Amino acid sequence: IPDKDGVATILGGIVFDENADSNRLVVHTKPKSTRAEAFRQLRTNIQFVEAAQGSKSIVLSSSIPSEGKSSTIANLAIAMADSGQKVLLIDCDLRKPKVHKYFGLEGSVGLTNYLIDQAKLDDVIQPWGRNGLNILPAGQIPPNPSELLGSQSMRNLLEKLETTYDIILIDTSPVLPVTDTAILSKITGGVVMVVAVGKTTKPQLQGALAQLETVGAPILGFVMNKIPTQGVDAYGYKYGYSYAYGAYGAYSEVYGEEDPAPTKPPKPSKAAKAASPVSTFKASLPEVKIPEIKLPSVQPRSETSKKPSVSVSAWFKRAAKVAGEYVQVFDTEIKKIIERFNKKK
């Protein structure tokens, strides 16, 4: 995805963490971790982009859901506030808002209430932490999100906020199913696209960029999220492709519905932990179905032919291929078990 210079502008890369769902704000909870440092590097790169563009408002979006745009912008906002900037994070995902949940704030009143004159601006902006970070939640989910975001009231609000804050970060809905990001891109400094490695397909990203280019939206750069770690824990091995290009009609209908709450396994009691040896573990290997291979029936040579009627070498090649695949899967699962066991130990 080249820019005008022929090279894609990669602003940062965030590695995949299987515990990210339980530790959303890693910059705040684990400031010395590798992922937290990656968000600080992203902050530095975006500050250069901001200076070059001359605008204080930046939109973060993605092509499809579950690419990590909301958690990325939340950690980026904390990192920017830690550097001494006065930051405002606005949740403009008026279909499935999440920002207030990540920060543990009240989300029933927010942006939408202000835009329809139901609340004052000072009443809907909530401070968070001690480093100059403020949050403007989405508020009540409206029946006309695109119209609200493209209204003159939204334009006037951004112009007013840019006189108060050093930078304004805006979280929006994914690009493909709805037009919200395209609308906001025309009244802000541009869009930073979050791309989940191993999840987002090339046609999906190309389709999202095409929509933004149609309205003349400046693409400021890309954040590569959920980058695979070394070895068998690579992100692509664990997740498939949930959305096919061209299926946005069904996708747009379900976007905004609440995901079912994940069920957590019960924690073992102290007695159970004491009775369980530290050096032992249980694991279930995946069932690998090996296709049945029948031995070829080799016919005797005829008087006019010197070759058997069935190729025995072809059968052995097929058998070796199947055996090799089985050994590879088995070896991969063993490595996963050992790696998880060492982490727990």
Side-chain angles (χ1 to χ4, degrees):
I1 308 166
D3 60 7
K4 61 181 180 180
D5 299 322
V7 180
T9 305
I10 306 298
L11 299 175
I14 314 299
V15 298
F16 171 71
D17 181 10
E18 59 183 5
N19 298 319
D21 291 341
S22 59
N23 189 23
R24 299 282 189 182
L25 307 180
V26 66
V27 176
H28 175 67
T29 57
K30 294 183 178 180
K32 295 183 179 180
S33 64
T34 303
R35 295 186 77 241
E37 183 59 34
F39 284 113
R40 285 190 286 269
Q41 182 63 48
L42 174 61
R43 170 197 64 192
T44 302
N45 294 338
I46 286 186
Q47 286 172 341
F48 282 111
V49 172
E50 174 197 0
Q53 293 292 326
S55 178
K56 292 184 176 181
S57 55
I58 295 177
V59 173
L60 259 76
S61 188
S62 60
S63 304
I64 58 176
S66 303
E67 294 193 67
K69 64 176 181 62
S70 296
S71 59
T72 298
I73 199 172
N75 283 281
L76 176 61
I78 297 174
M80 286 187 163
D82 289 342
S83 67
Q85 290 183 293
K86 190 174 182 181
V87 182
L88 177 65
L89 173 54
I90 306 179
D91 191 351
C92 286
D93 189 343
L94 303 185
R95 303 168 192 271
K96 196 174 181 181
K98 295 180 180 179
V99 170
H100 68 282
K101 297 178 181 179
Y102 291 172
F103 288 92
L105 300 175
E106 173 60 42
S108 59
V109 179
L111 174 64
T112 56
N113 302 93
Y114 172 79
L115 293 178
I116 61 176
D117 296 327
Q118 284 187 350
K120 295 181 179 180
L121 186 60
D122 293 338
D123 296 334
V124 294
I125 294 179
Q126 304 180 46
W128 189 88
R130 296 175 293 178
N131 295 328
L133 174 59
N134 291 273
I135 313 292
L136 177 53
Q140 296 179 354
I141 298 178
N144 56 341
S146 299
E147 288 75 9
L148 277 180
L149 296 176
S151 64
Q152 187 61 41
S153 298
M154 187 67 191
R155 293 174 180 265
N156 296 339
L157 172 62
L158 289 177
E159 292 177 359
K160 180 179 180 179
L161 293 173
E162 286 187 355
T163 62
T164 305
Y165 293 92
D166 297 324
I167 186 168
I168 301 171
L169 299 175
I170 302 174
D171 184 23
T172 65
S173 303
V175 176
L176 288 179
V178 290
T179 61
D180 299 1
T181 300
I183 292 173
L184 284 171
S185 65
K186 296 189 293 184
I187 59 176
T188 58
V191 182
V192 173
M193 291 292 291
V194 177
V195 181
V197 178
K199 179 180 179 66
T200 312
T201 63
K202 288 182 180 180
Q204 287 170 340
L205 182 56
Q206 290 169 348
L209 295 178
Q211 287 193 20
L212 296 176
E213 290 173 359
T214 300
V215 298
I219 308 298
L220 304 181
F222 302 87
V223 179
M224 309 307 293
N225 194 29
K226 301 180 180 179
I227 297 176
T229 56
Q230 294 181 353
V232 296
D233 283 332
Y235 181 84
Y237 287 103
K238 293 187 176 181
Y239 294 84
Y241 299 98
S242 300
Y243 299 91
Y245 185 67
Y248 306 138
Y251 164 62
S252 61
E253 292 176 2
V254 299
Y255 184 72
E257 296 179 0
E258 283 294 329
D259 296 330
T263 57
K264 296 182 178 180
K267 295 182 178 180
S269 62
K270 293 183 178 180
K273 290 182 178 180
S276 176
V278 178
S279 60
T280 60
F281 61 93
K282 295 181 179 180
S284 58
L285 293 178
E287 181 182 354
V288 180
K289 295 183 179 180
I290 303 177
E292 181 182 357
I293 303 177
K294 297 182 179 180
L295 290 173
S297 56
V298 182
Q299 301 295 333
R301 297 183 184 182
S302 63
E303 295 180 357
T304 59
S305 176
K306 295 183 179 180
K307 295 182 180 179
S309 58
V310 179
S311 175
V312 179
S313 61
W315 176 85
F316 278 113
K317 288 181 180 179
R318 184 186 175 196
K321 182 180 178 182
V322 173
E325 292 176 353
Y326 177 74
V327 171
Q328 184 178 4
V329 172
F330 183 81
D331 182 63
T332 298
E333 295 301 322
I334 289 295
K335 288 180 180 178
K336 284 184 180 181
I337 295 170
I338 294 174
E339 202 164 308
R340 292 169 184 165
F341 173 69
N342 290 337
K343 286 181 181 180
K344 292 180 180 180
K345 188 175 180 180

